């Protein structure tokens, strides 16, 4: 919002000022004050639609739904989705999926467990057909399994033709110098495998984003962040780790580059 209204570090600009900007301005004020945004509650689906202009002068509509995590959980586990959300997904040419870097843990794979067991001289556990956990029971939830499922649903299943998807890893300031592609490979290997094996059929661009520029829950870091303008501390990286404009994921997903 700050970048678009000030025409800094972006290629898009506002089409007109008739949009309802109260919701977005509230989030902007929290960012300016270095306060974390409130969690969206179940049943809330505010959000807004912004009219934007590309460098070529074409007007596009950017729809920003603010849905609770439980909404997407219902989509993934129960295959239940509101009609209006399906209509929005079907009508858009591209989608941005935001995932939080701290939601992923670098858990060992089955192969890693087997190697460790062999090194200790123990017999590795073998998984059989009756030893699996049911997906919908709430105990088998995995961030990267959910991510792969969501990418498949949004890019192909909900639409008559494949959509461009920008996968944005937020809070990327915790990545310690890694590129977004390397971070995905290390922390979400299943998602990385999906992207590599479906490169010809699924169009997904990977980005790393830090809207805050650091952590608000660290007192010293918070003090330093408050001394900097939000546009100076925010950044976006492409898949290889090179800095790009703040609106690069949107520009890529909507194919307006």
């Amino acid at each position: 919002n700050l970048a678009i209204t000030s025409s800094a570090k972006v290629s898009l600009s506002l089409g007109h000022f008739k949009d309802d900007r109260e919701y977005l301005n509230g989030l902007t004020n929290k960012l300016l004050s270095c306060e974390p945004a409130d969690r969206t509650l179940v049943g809330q689906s505010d959000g807004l639609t912004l009219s934007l202009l590309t460098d070529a002068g074409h007007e596009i509509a950017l729809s920003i739904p603010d849905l609770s995590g439980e909404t997407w959980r219902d989509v993934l586990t129960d295959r239940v989705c509101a009609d209006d959300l399906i209509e929005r997904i079907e009508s858009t040419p591209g989608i941005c999926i935001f995932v939080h870097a701290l939601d992923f843990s670098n858990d060992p794979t089955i192969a890693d467990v087997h190697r460790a067991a062999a090194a200790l001289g123990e017999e590795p556990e073998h998984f059989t057909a009756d030893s699996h956990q049911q997906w919908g029971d709430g105990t088998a939830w995995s961030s990267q399994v959910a991510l792969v499922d969501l990418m498949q649903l949004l890019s192909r299943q909900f639409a008559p033709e494949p959509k461009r998807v920008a996968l944005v890893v937020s809070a990327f300031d915790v990545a310690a110098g890694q590129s977004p592609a390397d971070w995905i490979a290390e922390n979400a290997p299943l998602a990385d495998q999906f992207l590599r094996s479906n490169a010809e059929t699924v169009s997904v661009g990977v980005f790393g984003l830090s809207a805050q520029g650091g952590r608000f829950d660290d007192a010293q870091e918070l003090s330093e962040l408050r001394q900097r303008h939000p546009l100076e501390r925010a950044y976006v990286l492409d898949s290889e780790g090179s800095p790009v404009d703040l609106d690069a994921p949107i520009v890529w997903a909507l194919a307006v580059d």
Side-chain angles (χ1 to χ4, degrees):
N1 184 37
L2 283 173
I4 290 174
T5 54
S6 63
S7 299
K9 300 176 72 173
V10 292
S11 60
L12 299 173
S13 59
L14 282 178
H16 57 68
F17 291 87
K18 297 179 182 178
D19 305 303
D20 180 9
R21 303 179 59 81
E22 180 179 358
Y23 166 79
L24 189 55
N25 288 336
L27 293 179
T28 301
N29 290 335
K30 284 186 174 292
L31 186 63
L32 287 168
S33 304
C34 290
E35 298 177 13
D38 296 328
R39 180 180 179 277
T40 305
L41 301 176
V42 181
Q44 281 186 325
S45 56
D46 294 331
L48 76 166
T49 299
L50 292 177
S51 58
L52 302 174
L53 289 177
T54 67
D55 282 341
H58 299 137
E59 186 168 340
I60 60 174
L62 175 63
S63 178
I64 310 174
D66 189 8
L67 303 173
S68 70
E70 287 81 1
T71 299
W72 295 113
R73 184 190 62 192
D74 291 343
V75 171
L76 295 174
T77 60
D78 300 328
R79 287 324 199 233
V80 174
C81 186
D83 290 341
D84 60 337
L85 180 56
I86 293 178
E87 291 175 1
R88 296 173 80 172
I89 295 171
E90 290 177 338
S91 63
T92 185
I95 296 171
C96 293
I97 299 178
F98 288 81
V99 294
H100 198 286
L102 295 181
D103 285 345
F104 291 81
S105 58
N106 191 8
D107 297 324
T109 64
I110 293 176
D112 293 333
V113 173
H114 284 185
R115 281 193 293 269
L120 295 172
E122 299 179 359
E123 186 70 22
E125 179 181 0
H126 293 283
F127 294 91
T128 61
D130 58 354
S131 66
H132 70 281
Q133 289 177 309
Q134 183 179 347
W135 166 255
D137 64 1
T139 61
W141 184 265
S142 167
S143 293
Q144 57 178 314
V145 171
L147 175 58
V148 170
D149 196 15
L150 188 60
M151 285 192 289
Q152 293 184 93
L153 287 172
L154 295 181
S155 66
R156 293 187 298 202
Q157 226 164 309
F158 274 154
E161 59 184 36
K163 298 181 180 296
R164 288 166 69 95
V165 174
L167 175 58
V168 185
V169 183
S170 63
F172 204 70
D173 44 273
V174 304
Q178 286 183 300
S179 70
D182 289 342
W183 187 93
I184 289 287
E186 180 176 330
N187 295 275
L190 180 65
D192 178 64
Q193 182 182 10
F194 169 79
L195 294 175
R196 291 178 183 275
S197 61
N198 292 274
E200 296 182 359
T201 58
V202 177
S203 186
V204 178
V206 178
F207 299 88
L209 160 71
S210 177
Q212 300 176 174
R215 302 190 61 149
F216 289 171
D217 57 358
D218 183 295
Q220 180 176 350
E221 193 167 355
L222 177 60
S223 177
E224 295 173 357
L225 290 173
R226 282 177 170 160
Q227 306 305 313
R228 302 171 60 196
H229 191 277
L231 285 181
E232 294 178 353
R233 63 181 193 245
Y235 62 86
V236 174
L237 305 177
D238 65 15
S239 62
E240 301 305 316
S242 299
V244 291
D245 286 344
L246 294 180
D247 60 354
I250 299 170
V251 170
W252 191 93
L254 298 181
V256 294
D257 50 345

